[in-house]
Amino acid sequence: MVLKKRVDHGFDGLRVPVIPKAPRSARRRIAFKKAVEDGQVCAIELLASLAGQLLQESEGSASSNASEGNHHPPFSQGVIEQDIQDGVKPLKKEEIHQGSCVESTFKTEVASQNSSQKPLSHTKTGHVSVNNSSDCCEKVEADVKSEIFEWDNKFGNYSNRLVETRENFRKSSDGKIKNGFKREQEAGSSCIRGSNLADKCSLEGHLEFASFSRNGNGIKLGFRDDDENFLRCKKFCTKPKAFRSPRRIAHRRIRNLMSFKYWKTAPKLKDSELSRSDLGVPRYHKRKTCYGFERSQHNAIVKKRKFVDRVSGVTSDGGFSSESVSNSPQKGMDGDKPSSSAKLHVPKAKDSHVKFSIKSIRIPELYIEVPETSTVGSLKRTIVEAVMAILGGGAHVGVLLQGKKVRDDNRTLVQTGISCNENLDTLSFMLEPTSLQASPTVCVGDPSSQCETSQPTRSTEIPVLDSGITDTLHDSPLLTYPGNLIESNHESTSSLADTTLDKLTPDSRAIVVVPATTETLAVVPVSQKTKRSEFVQRRTRRPFSVTEVEALVHAVEELGTGRWRDVKLRAFENADHRTYVDLKDKWKTLVHTATISPQQRRGEPVPQELLDRVLAAHAFWSQHQAKQHGKHQAGPGTLKITEASAERPCVC
DNA sequence: TTTAGGG
DNA sequence: CCCTAAA
């Protein structure tokens, strides 16, 4: 009877997330890399432009940032600052409209749409020809496009390109233009914006252009071939990552930048889960599930996460000089082998100097929610605000060695262990806001300990289903500074999310769900092949609620203790964050909990009634198991219902 | 992949 | 929760 009752109110009625997804294990392998990769890709743009923005603001030279009147303190001294400045010097004199990171990122979207008017075509060799593009950039565009293609085909190249690009920008700003980059850039700028930036090159502009190009390539009109090829590839390749449609890439970028949560369908996903399930994204087709979007125009929700930076290489002896930083990619590492490049080489100089070359800086992933009806402009502003909120209050760098934060600023590097090769491999930097208030959702704590990101400005009411989500927003993919894409892993660059993109059309919602990611993205994209383990972080802890416990107990009562997969399917099928291993573990602890005295129990108290059932079920199934064992190896599944129901422990 | 257990 | 040996 009791059982019956429980069945009635069934678990479906519980707040169990409904997220159809592949088994955890599967998600892990594939989606994981993906997500990480994705995070990086988009990071480039965001960071690049962000740097520009910061620079402008910090220098105060920036005339007036039309929309954002915020004046944020410049970065605190340090490597980071230098790196960034170095990378964006060209931006100084430029007038970047809004100058926000948003700008560049979103232009992609816009460009994409516009470009639909320009039929393009390209051959399989990657060559691109422009049939009907604006006069201003016809040829150049073609050149760039082909370049873009290269990038697509080889992330490593892409990365290097960017690095190179940065270099060129710097040079061009000095009047020494080596390649035709400036030209390209100008073309890109004018093509996209109309022309107001054509006179000066900027990192942002370039990136923008790159994005544009990609989008352009993705236009259906001119690239049916691509699509077909892609499909074909997808069909015959085990790993359809060989070729990625530019459009997909572009979209993915956006999607990554903007992580919209589809609560309804994926209510409880945590970052990590999300990212892992990159492949599963397509399943979240219920776009309307973006709660709150329609509700208000300004209920933008932004969540930040901790950001950890990694030192990825050591090369020149310039220490932290900008020069050393920017050169490191070429000098210190093998451009073709990003993965290896991530390694630190600490040539112990005669002077016992430890040489660093920080190739990347990351900022936390941003989670933003805005109404569907909001304007692109407001979206941009929202992003800018989010970004500025992180760095606005100024920031400093935290040093992490082997995952542990080095708190003592007075210790020497040698004392700290930052002078030997081994340790340097695990050295990383974390960008931290100087004041928590300044950035409410920024994590400042020790990375190893789940940083508690403060709730996003709550005023922006979070969707109903938000429950339990906040905690999932911690770690996330880290945005990477353009200067160092080198770290990325080719493989991961490829594919997932492709499916998702299928549904994305230029006119579709500006942003797409982004599998966020904790473990996933949180995990450093740096040479995963070799040192993934070092950065894979634990899943965020998610204590079982009484409701879940009830469901678990109920399921076990019926299925027994040796069929966790079935238990999972029956009671937690929609709770993707609960794997059968989790359930098994939980049962283990439940049994233990039920065994110990109430005083010794911790955490959310589990009703004694449930614990009693746990013990009863445990005893019953243990006995049953033994019985089965003694008898013939009749599988557990053969348990006769009658018998089971008759003996099943039931608290009546 | 799923179980079963130790860490 | 994680990691893994076994199955």
Side-chain angles (χ1 to χ4, degrees):
Chain A
M1 31 193 135
V2 173
L3 281 176
K4 177 70 168 99
K5 202 173 181 182
R6 282 199 286 270
V7 172
D8 288 339
H9 66 58
F11 218 33
D12 292 331
L14 300 179
R15 303 152 224 145
V16 179
V18 181
I19 314 152
K21 238 188 285 177
R24 180 187 165 198
S25 53
R27 299 198 308 264
R28 216 173 194 166
R29 275 174 224 153
I30 313 171
F32 192 51
K33 284 184 185 175
K34 258 335 197 157
V36 173
E37 200 66 20
D38 284 349
Q40 265 212 321
V41 174
C42 103
I44 301 165
E45 295 176 352
L46 176 58
L47 205 39
S49 42
L50 166 60
Q53 166 98 352
L54 279 174
L55 192 58
Q56 281 194 313
E57 299 214 7
S58 63
E59 292 189 4
S61 64
S63 42
S64 49
N65 204 311
S67 46
E68 307 331 324
N70 309 324
H71 283 289
H72 301 285
F75 265 135
S76 53
Q77 306 263 347
V79 183
I80 295 176
E81 178 178 20
Q82 286 192 32
D83 193 4
I84 292 177
Q85 289 193 10
D86 175 50
V88 272
K89 274 181 183 172
L91 287 175
K92 287 183 180 179
K93 296 178 181 178
E94 181 168 0
E95 279 309 315
I96 301 179
H97 41 184
Q98 333 266 327
S100 69
C101 55
V102 185
E103 201 65 24
S104 87
T105 304
F106 284 87
K107 234 142 201 169
T108 297
E109 186 71 11
V110 176
S112 164
Q113 297 183 41
N114 292 336
S115 54
S116 64
Q117 301 169 345
K118 311 173 192 172
L120 302 175
S121 66
H122 78 71
T123 65
K124 291 177 181 179
T125 60
H127 170 68
V128 177
S129 60
V130 181
N131 296 330
N132 181 32
S133 66
S134 351
D135 320 306
C136 68
C137 55
E138 205 166 312
K139 183 181 179 184
V140 182
E141 184 176 7
D143 292 340
V144 176
K145 278 195 170 67
S146 59
E147 278 195 17
I148 300 297
F149 258 84
E150 286 179 25
W151 296 357
D152 287 346
N153 292 327
K154 200 166 186 181
F155 193 73
N157 286 340
Y158 175 51
S159 301
N160 293 328
R161 280 288 183 182
L162 282 178
V163 173
E164 184 183 310
T165 297
R166 193 174 59 166
E167 280 296 271
N168 282 320
F169 281 140
R170 223 192 6 227
K171 288 171 183 172
S172 71
S173 69
D174 295 328
K176 306 172 189 174
I177 303 174
K178 274 189 176 179
N179 302 330
F181 240 116
K182 180 174 181 180
R183 206 184 33 161
E184 295 176 3
Q185 189 175 353
E186 288 178 355
S189 297
S190 51
C191 278
I192 296 172
R193 305 183 196 150
S195 75
N196 63 10
L197 283 183
D199 55 331
K200 263 286 186 178
C201 310
S202 76
L203 179 54
E204 182 195 10
H206 183 76
L207 288 172
E208 220 171 77
F209 184 54
S211 296
F212 164 69
S213 295
R214 289 183 168 209
N215 273 307
N217 287 337
I219 297 167
K220 285 183 179 177
L221 190 58
F223 287 90
R224 261 164 289 166
D225 247 351
D226 281 354
D227 288 337
E228 286 177 16
N229 287 332
F230 179 76
L231 289 177
R232 254 178 256 137
C233 173
K234 219 178 164 183
K235 226 170 186 175
F236 300 119
C237 300
T238 310
K239 296 185 178 181
K241 58 186 177 182
F243 180 92
R244 290 175 300 149
S245 156
R247 174 165 51 113
R248 291 165 184 283
I249 294 168
H251 279 302
R252 208 166 72 196
R253 287 184 171 191
I254 296 173
R255 197 193 53 196
N256 273 291
L257 177 65
M258 304 301 296
S259 329
F260 278 163
K261 283 159 289 198
Y262 285 50
W263 297 131
K264 198 157 197 173
T265 44
K268 272 192 162 183
L269 282 189
K270 61 182 191 175
D271 329 340
S272 52
E273 302 284 338
L274 281 170
S275 36
R276 286 179 181 173
S277 59
D278 203 2
L279 270 180
V281 170
R283 294 186 221 173
Y284 306 156
H285 27 286
K286 291 188 180 180
R287 291 169 179 262
K288 283 299 179 182
T289 52
C290 302
Y291 290 28
F293 275 34
E294 294 88 8
R295 307 255 165 120
S296 85
Q297 284 283 339
H298 299 291
N299 59 347
I301 296 174
V302 179
K303 298 188 180 185
K304 268 167 285 169
R305 305 189 187 177
K306 70 187 174 187
F307 25 121
V308 178
D309 172 51
R310 268 179 64 85
V311 173
S312 13
V314 174
T315 48
S316 65
D317 53 1
F320 290 138
S321 75
S322 55
E323 201 53 38
S324 103
V325 173
S326 52
N327 287 333
S328 61
Q330 284 101 26
K331 288 184 181 179
M333 31 207 60
D334 176 344
D336 293 322
K337 283 191 161 188
S339 58
S340 66
S341 69
K343 291 252 185 181
L344 275 180
H345 291 292
V346 185
K348 209 146 190 184
K350 326 127 196 181
D351 48 355
S352 296
H353 281 185
V354 182
K355 301 172 183 179
F356 298 87
S357 175
I358 298 176
K359 299 190 300 180
S360 76
I361 261 295
R362 298 194 184 83
I363 64 175
E365 177 172 3
L366 302 177
Y367 287 89
I368 301 171
E369 283 188 16
V370 296
E372 277 185 316
T373 53
S374 63
T375 63
V376 172
S378 69
L379 173 57
K380 292 175 180 177
R381 282 190 293 275
T382 298
I383 296 174
V384 173
E385 286 167 13
V387 173
M388 295 317 293
I390 297 174
L391 303 171
H396 63 265
V397 177
V399 177
L400 300 164
L401 189 58
Q402 298 185 318
K404 291 184 178 181
K405 189 169 183 177
V406 178
R407 298 173 185 286
D408 191 341
D409 291 341
N410 297 316
R411 289 171 68 189
T412 65
L413 294 183
V414 182
Q415 294 176 318
T416 309
I418 305 182
S419 60
C420 49
N421 289 313
E422 305 91 280
N423 288 339
L424 283 173
D425 275 340
T426 60
L427 178 64
S428 52
F429 296 112
M430 179 169 66
L431 193 55
E432 308 170 324
T434 47
S435 82
L436 282 177
Q437 280 69 22
S439 42
T441 57
V442 174
C443 156
V444 182
D446 178 331
S448 57
S449 63
Q450 299 297 330
C451 302
E452 212 46 44
T453 54
S454 50
Q455 196 76 249
T457 335
R458 250 318 192 186
S459 57
T460 60
E461 46 176 24
I462 291 181
V464 187
L465 294 182
D466 175 46
S467 65
I469 290 185
T470 33
D471 66 331
T472 70
L473 301 173
H474 298 292
D475 332 340
S476 64
L478 310 173
L479 299 184
T480 309
Y481 184 62
N484 73 96
L485 302 188
I486 306 171
E487 303 181 339
S488 33
N489 178 336
H490 298 282
E491 294 187 356
S492 44
T493 311
S494 51
S495 77
L496 291 208
D498 285 327
T499 24
T500 309
L501 294 173
D502 289 333
K503 303 190 175 185
L504 297 178
T505 52
D507 56 81
S508 64
R509 277 152 201 125
I511 314 244
V512 185
V513 178
V514 177
T517 57
T518 303
E519 322 180 62
T520 315
L521 295 186
V523 178
V524 183
V526 180
S527 63
Q528 301 200 314
K529 289 177 184 174
T530 55
K531 12 193 55 183
R532 172 181 306 169
S533 59
E534 291 179 42
F535 298 96
V536 171
Q537 85 179 51
R538 295 169 74 101
R539 288 187 292 157
T540 57
R541 187 162 176 280
R542 293 182 150 195
F544 277 68
S545 64
V546 173
T547 300
E548 288 179 300
V549 172
E550 147 74 38
L552 174 59
V553 172
H554 181 212
V556 173
E557 284 175 339
E558 299 192 321
L559 303 172
T561 55
R563 303 167 61 191
W564 301 110
R565 178 167 172 276
D566 292 330
V567 170
K568 154 73 177 173
L569 261 37
R570 170 175 300 209
F572 295 81
E573 181 165 20
N574 295 318
D576 266 24
H577 57 295
R578 302 298 190 197
T579 66
Y580 44 73
V581 173
D582 292 332
L583 301 179
K584 182 263 299 179
D585 286 342
K586 180 55 182 175
W587 182 261
K588 183 171 63 178
T589 61
L590 274 176
V591 171
H592 177 256
T593 301
T595 304
I596 62 179
S597 68
Q599 292 73 43
Q600 301 178 68
R601 297 169 190 165
R602 292 184 299 175
E604 187 179 12
V606 177
Q608 187 58 44
E609 177 259 338
L610 278 177
L611 293 177
D612 291 338
R613 286 167 60 193
V614 167
L615 286 180
H618 180 256
F620 172 79
W621 287 106
S622 294
Q623 177 191 329
H624 188 276
Q625 196 169 48
K627 205 181 294 179
Q628 287 291 312
H629 215 62
K631 294 183 179 180
H632 306 295
Q633 281 299 315
T638 60
L639 174 64
K640 292 165 195 165
I641 302 236
T642 52
E643 179 188 0
S645 46
E647 299 178 30
R648 187 176 307 140
C650 174
V651 188
C652 297

